[in-house]
Amino acid sequence: TLVGASERPFRLLSLGHVRDAVEPGSAEGEAIPGDATQRDALAELLWSGRPALPVKDADGKALGRVTVEGLVKRAARPQ
Amino acid sequence: TLVGASERPFRLLSLGHVRDAVEPGSAEGEAIPGDATQRDALAELLWSGRPALPVKDADGKALGRVTVEGLVKRAARPQ
């Protein structure tokens, strides 16, 4: 039976920072800090039902956006 | 700062069974059982990099498929 991945994709995302998953473009709503984890960003995206969130650095400067689609790709087993 | 959702969407998915998130259609690869949790299904989908997985019941009968897109919608904060 196919129930094996369990925590692995979420753990993988918890090792990466949002700043390393930033894509060009803007998004609506409150920004997530670049030093949050990619797992935190996915959780916020899912919970809020939004496809993208703006990302800001520690000084509040806009860095771009993070997307469900981008994080889904980053959660895959490394090849 | 926007780091609040943490475990909530994943916990929400862990309360639902795959059989309750089944969509019509087929998908490639090994099937996931209908009595697995929706969280397990999302983990498997992300880890395998696939957009959909087939779902089977306890007798091995095909029930349909479960998709990243469908689970993402189910992980949102209840309105």
Side-chain angles (χ1 to χ4, degrees), chain B residues 1-61:
Chain B
T1 56
L2 212 174
V3 182
S6 60
E7 272 303 299
R8 284 179 286 184
F10 307 121
R11 202 179 301 137
L12 180 59
L13 289 180
S14 74
L15 301 176
H17 290 102
V18 169
R19 75 171 73 86
D20 299 317
V22 165
E23 301 169 39
S26 59
E28 293 294 313
E30 193 184 349
I32 191 165
D35 63 355
T37 71
Q38 293 172 17
R39 179 181 172 137
D40 284 332
L42 181 62
E44 185 59 39
L45 284 161
L46 294 180
W47 194 242
S48 67
R50 291 191 279 175
L53 286 176
V55 181
K56 65 182 178 187
D57 70 12
D59 299 325
K61 187 186 148 209

Side-chain angles (χ1 to χ4, degrees), chain A residues 9-10 12-14 16-23 32 36-46 50-53 55 65-76, chain B residues 10 46-47 68:
Chain A
F10 307 122
L12 181 59
L13 289 180
S14 75
H17 291 101
V18 169
R19 76 171 73 85
D20 299 317
V22 165
E23 301 170 40
I32 191 165
T37 70
Q38 292 171 17
R39 179 183 172 135
D40 284 331
L42 181 62
E44 185 58 40
L45 284 161
L46 294 179
R50 291 191 280 176
L53 286 176
V55 181
R65 65 180 181 173
V66 66
T67 66
V68 173
E69 190 177 357
L71 293 175
V72 162
K73 287 178 186 160
R74 288 172 180 275
Chain B
F10 307 121
L46 294 180
W47 194 242
V68 173

